[in-house]
Amino acid sequence: MNKTLWNYYKQSVDGKKAIDLFKPEPDDAYQAVERIAEFLKNWDKDIDPHHLGDGLFIYEVNIAERHLLNGEPSSRNTFETFVETYDLKEFDLQGENIIWSEDRYFIPVDKFRQKAATVDALSMYLYYCDSYFKPILLPRRFDIIQRSCDVLGIELPAIPHTKDYKEFLMYYYDICGVLNEFQQENELTDAELCACLYDYGARVLLDDKSHVEGELPQPTNVWLTGASGKGDFDFLDSLGKQQDSKTSIWACNERTRKGDLIIVYCTSPRSYLHSIWRADSTGIFNPFDYYHCRTTVRDGVRLPQISFSDLKDDSYFSQLPIVRRNLQGVNGIELSAKDYSELLKLAKRKGGNTTDYPQLYIGGTVDFGEIRLEKDVEESILIPLLKRIGYNDSDWTRQLQLKAGRKEKAIPDFVFFPQGATHFESAPLVIEAKLDMSSMVEEQKAFRQALSYARLLRSKLMGICDKERLVIYALDTSGSCNIERPLFDNHWQAIYSDEIIGAKLNQLIGAEVIKEKCSAL
């Protein structure tokens, strides 16, 4: 962290306000939490301050009155025991008396998914109790916390790739450990650390002009997701009416990619397909959200009302497994190109103009052979592409060992035109190859691995790829970049078969372009 800039921020009016906001001993904790939630609407406009305040109240009454947290709370064993054994009982207040329900629970003891999904309220309660614990807010946008940590130079532990939801609560504990180390290294108070995370570091993201809507990759996948409740319906019904309702955050499949098509189905009592949207981000994996993967959507187009009965009566859709399941578990269901084609036909029969709807990109078919290993991705897909855009075998180094601290341990897959006498100190481009990044957790791991290499080599560009696609990112002057805002993101089939897409990649990372960047280092 840049100490000079931090000190300027700390003395500024905005800095003082943010630090004061996160005081660990506020005069009124509930008012403080609601003010924090209002402040965080910069990142998620749908945050409900009263909901967070109510959650804090429920945790405080249960934990304090029922003595649920025993022993030293900052001990990992104590915290794990707490996670495994606490529940949140429902209660009524009669004057100063608490009347506990015997058989009704806000969260039963074994519902770890619900516990993890309320980590914002739990973490605020623990923050006010013990300095080890830090508030982890923005449950629908954990990517904002990740990116703020990237800006600050905080390396968060990897998100557990598991269906054991208790592990996400222990992940919260481990995050607190990393944040405490950063706090001690930089001599920050608890409130200063929070201001660092949710304001100072995040200001770089607010200033990042890459959030402005740009061109989306051509859609290659179609996903079905569900809308329910007044908030969802109000947003959908504002389509085409309100300027501030052009984008929103929706539950999605973790394999959602930027540019994909998102079809929204309004659940009961509406029970009809509403609209088609474009994914403006890859699937955002949120360990502290009940729906663990979400995407931002934009460019919605209204469908004619296609009811569930229409789908059941249609000879094609009546045979789809998700329709036969009465659209139960609709969030993140993948539809095929054929399914989408039939949907457009059905929309046309219902009076829709199919020229208004986005079309799936169908590229040429390229046979890369059998791709079973990471090495196959490198040898059969990436290297032939590199040679097509002007590279020779001598232009890159593979498995290059870099000096990281006192050890040589960093080993990027492809380093282009590395320079340096003793240890390679710089390179304009690095690319990290994986076998499969279809899981957002795996993509995040590959992204952060490539980012760490790019920082070590002072690279301005970095790439990640797998058997399906290639993604290129630009690093800014602080060594940061946004996983949601790649310079280039396309499937190999499109890169190889579409001359325009191939030319765009060549203009971005072609050998001659990178040689020029190399001479500028």
Side-chain angles (χ1 to χ4, degrees):
M1 183 173 72
N2 187 312
K3 294 291 185 68
T4 301
L5 292 179
W6 163 251
N7 287 327
Y8 280 132
Y9 165 82
K10 190 166 63 169
Q11 298 303 320
S12 70
V13 173
D14 288 344
K16 289 178 180 178
K17 285 182 180 178
I19 292 169
D20 184 66
L21 194 65
F22 287 98
K23 288 188 304 186
E25 296 179 357
D27 296 330
D28 186 319
Y30 303 108
Q31 286 187 6
V33 164
E34 290 188 8
R35 287 198 302 269
I36 289 170
E38 285 289 346
F39 174 77
L40 293 174
K41 284 189 174 183
N42 283 324
W43 300 113
D44 186 350
K45 60 181 176 60
D46 294 324
I47 283 180
D48 184 345
H50 298 298
H51 181 75
L52 182 57
D54 290 345
L56 174 64
F57 180 66
I58 291 169
Y59 265 104
E60 181 182 31
V61 171
N62 271 272
I63 294 175
E65 296 296 325
R66 296 170 59 208
H67 308 289
L68 299 179
L69 187 56
N70 299 312
E72 181 61 38
S74 60
S75 158
R76 200 176 201 279
N77 288 337
T78 298
F79 185 74
E80 186 168 16
T81 299
F82 164 70
V83 163
E84 292 172 341
T85 58
Y86 88 82
D87 56 44
L88 298 182
K89 281 189 174 183
E90 292 189 24
F91 57 87
D92 293 316
L93 296 178
Q94 295 183 0
E96 296 183 356
N97 297 319
I98 299 171
I99 310 300
W100 296 101
S101 169
E102 291 300 321
D103 55 1
R104 297 197 312 274
Y105 296 86
F106 293 110
I107 302 180
V109 66
D110 59 343
K111 299 300 182 181
F112 296 110
R113 184 177 184 180
Q114 291 174 256
K115 292 179 180 182
T118 55
V119 126
D120 52 350
L122 170 63
S123 67
M124 284 305 307
Y125 172 77
L126 293 174
Y127 175 66
Y128 290 143
C129 292
D130 189 288
S131 62
Y132 175 83
F133 296 101
K134 311 304 177 191
I136 298 299
L137 308 172
L138 299 168
R140 303 199 313 169
R141 293 304 306 269
F142 186 66
D143 61 306
I144 298 293
I145 297 176
Q146 290 175 308
R147 289 160 53 201
S148 187
C149 285
D150 286 342
V151 169
L152 296 168
I154 302 171
E155 187 172 348
L156 293 175
I159 299 174
H161 198 183
T162 177
K163 292 186 178 179
D164 181 354
Y165 297 109
K166 190 192 85 170
E167 290 304 308
F168 293 125
L169 289 155
M170 299 312 299
Y171 178 61
Y172 161 65
Y173 180 91
D174 294 336
I175 289 174
C176 290
V178 170
L179 294 178
N180 274 294
E181 289 179 11
F182 176 81
Q183 178 179 347
Q184 292 166 13
E185 289 171 3
N186 292 278
E187 300 178 324
L188 304 174
T189 66
D190 290 332
E192 287 172 346
L193 172 70
C194 294
C196 239
L197 189 62
Y198 292 107
D199 190 44
Y200 172 71
R203 280 172 181 268
V204 176
L205 309 180
L206 282 171
D207 292 338
D208 180 7
K209 304 304 181 185
S210 65
H211 70 278
V212 177
E213 287 187 5
E215 182 181 352
L216 292 172
Q218 293 174 299
T220 53
N221 300 297
V222 187
W223 307 97
L224 187 62
T225 196
S228 62
K230 184 177 184 301
D232 286 356
F233 295 157
D234 285 349
F235 169 78
L236 292 171
D237 292 343
S238 71
L239 181 58
K241 300 177 183 177
Q242 297 179 16
Q243 184 70 14
D244 62 350
S245 296
K246 294 191 302 181
T247 64
S248 189
I249 304 170
W250 289 88
C252 70
N253 189 293
E254 66 176 331
R255 292 189 290 113
T256 301
R257 297 295 163 228
K258 186 173 181 177
D260 282 357
L261 304 184
I262 311 292
I263 299 171
V264 177
Y265 173 77
C266 291
T267 59
S268 180
R270 294 193 173 189
S271 304
Y272 61 77
L273 294 176
H274 182 281
S275 44
I276 304 172
W277 299 76
R278 301 291 302 282
D280 195 31
S281 70
T282 56
I284 303 164
F285 191 88
N286 302 291
F288 308 122
D289 184 4
Y290 190 82
Y291 297 105
H292 279 115
C293 201
R294 294 185 186 264
T295 185
T296 54
V297 298
R298 70 182 233 206
D299 301 345
V301 181
R302 189 71 184 258
L303 283 164
Q305 189 167 303
I306 300 174
S307 69
F308 176 63
S309 296
D310 292 330
L311 297 174
K312 289 203 73 172
D313 293 341
D314 183 83
S315 60
Y316 181 85
F317 284 101
S318 62
Q319 302 304 309
L320 284 189
I322 186 62
V323 175
R324 297 179 73 174
R325 295 200 308 268
N326 297 321
L327 292 177
Q328 296 298 309
V330 69
N331 290 330
I333 293 296
E334 184 174 13
L335 299 181
S336 69
K338 174 66 173 174
D339 298 338
Y340 186 63
S341 174
E342 292 296 326
L343 177 63
L344 295 187
K345 292 178 183 177
L346 181 55
K348 186 175 183 179
R349 292 198 297 272
K350 298 283 288 185
N353 184 354
T354 56
T355 60
D356 294 338
Y357 305 128
Q359 302 296 315
L360 276 173
Y361 174 75
I362 308 297
T365 301
V366 180
D367 184 7
F368 297 117
E370 188 174 17
I371 307 296
R372 295 185 304 165
L373 305 171
E374 186 176 299
K375 184 179 179 181
D376 298 330
V377 174
E378 298 173 356
E379 300 288 345
S380 300
I381 305 178
L382 177 58
I383 289 177
L385 185 278
L386 292 173
K387 292 183 176 180
R388 287 179 63 163
I389 58 176
Y391 289 95
N392 299 310
D393 290 338
S394 59
D395 292 335
W396 64 76
T397 301
R398 299 173 69 179
Q399 301 292 307
L400 173 67
Q401 290 200 347
L402 304 175
K403 187 172 179 62
R406 297 182 178 180
K407 298 180 180 180
E408 292 186 352
K409 58 180 181 180
I411 308 176
D413 287 334
F414 286 78
V415 179
F416 295 83
F417 306 115
Q419 300 180 59
T422 306
H423 292 277
F424 292 107
E425 287 91 12
S426 65
L429 169 67
V430 297
I431 295 179
E432 185 68 14
K434 301 296 180 185
L435 175 61
D436 188 351
M437 299 187 304
S438 58
S439 158
M440 189 55 202
V441 172
E442 292 304 316
E443 182 172 356
Q444 287 176 333
K445 286 168 62 177
F447 173 84
R448 297 188 184 286
Q449 190 176 1
L451 182 60
S452 67
Y453 298 152
R455 284 172 170 167
L456 282 171
L457 288 161
R458 294 181 293 161
S459 304
K460 297 300 182 185
L461 293 168
M462 72 176 208
I464 55 175
C465 68
D466 69 352
K467 62 184 179 180
E468 297 293 337
R469 49 199 274 272
L470 171 67
V471 192
I472 304 295
Y473 296 92
L475 281 73
D476 63 22
T477 54
S478 68
S480 301
C481 68
N482 184 345
I483 192 171
E484 293 181 34
R485 303 294 171 187
L487 293 177
F488 179 91
D489 182 352
N490 248 301
H491 285 68
W492 290 116
Q493 295 285 349
I495 295 169
Y496 270 87
S497 62
D498 190 304
E499 291 184 2
I500 295 176
I501 294 173
K504 182 179 178 181
L505 180 64
N506 190 31
Q507 292 169 1
L508 189 62
I509 63 163
E512 295 305 315
V513 175
I514 298 303
K515 282 179 183 177
E516 288 183 16
K517 293 182 181 294
C518 184
S519 61
L521 288 175

